[in-house]
Amino acid sequence: MKHLLPELPYALEALAPAMSAETLQYHYGKHLQTYLDNLNRLVAGTDFEEKSLEDIVKSSSGPLFNNAAQAWNHIFFFDTLTPLSKPVGTGLHALIQRDFGSVEAFKQQLTAVATGHFGSGWAWLIKDADGRLKVLSTSNADTMLREGVTPLLTIDVWEHAYYIDYRNRRADYVEQVWGLIDWEKVENRLNTNLF
Ligand code: MN
């Protein structure tokens, strides 16, 4: 099956100025498209050809894993953004309060992990196998999809995610991304089973 570029749930210019149309033209239109093109090329004629993107991420290695995982991470990331961010819902709020003390403390922790992560990667909020919420980071294409946890939210901290709008100021980018999070989607993921 061919892995296609999914439609964004917002217009390219809808997230500006926090995330400009130009950033999305490159990040979504070129970077994600290239991962998908590479993925389609690498699975052609192999046992992976009919597998879902999730199955490929969980069972591949090398260049195929890198492109499949980057495709999955980006689709998950872009799907979490919205121009109409509302406050954290009550169910998720209670869990964040239980595991981090407060929403503010959680945001500080994820901001610190996102800005402090060395090199390219992803900062995550996940629900672990025991149902606890945790903040973690992964490097390069590595993903929380195959760690036996439920990914709830991720922030892309590759330079291509922020260099057009923020140049080298990753901390400013992370600060602005907080205003674009679709908390309803994050909360809905508490009950999704990706495994
Ligand atoms: Mn990216």
Side-chain angles (χ1 to χ4, degrees), residues 125-187:
L125 171 68
I126 60 99
K127 183 180 77 170
D128 74 11
D130 299 323
R132 313 293 297 186
L133 304 192
K134 283 187 180 144
V135 161
L136 296 161
S137 70
T138 56
S139 289
N140 300 320
D142 277 346
T143 177
M144 281 292 148
L145 183 57
R146 60 179 190 180
E147 299 298 322
V149 301
T150 305
L152 301 176
L153 161 68
T154 193
I155 299 176
D156 187 342
V157 297
W158 284 58
E159 284 184 348
H160 68 225
Y162 55 86
Y163 233 79
I164 291 171
D165 294 332
Y166 299 92
R167 298 302 173 189
N168 61 329
R169 293 176 285 116
R170 188 194 285 184
D172 290 355
Y173 153 73
V174 172
E175 196 53 46
Q176 294 303 312
V177 167
W178 284 122
L180 302 176
I181 302 294
D182 187 336
W183 293 107
E184 217 174 305
K185 279 196 181 148
V186 176
E187 184 158 357

Side-chain angles (χ1 to χ4, degrees), residues 27 31 35 70 74 77-78 122 156 158 160-161:
H27 198 188
H31 286 277
Y35 294 127
Q70 278 297 79
H74 279 91
F77 171 64
F78 289 130
W122 301 83
D156 187 342
W158 284 58
H160 68 225

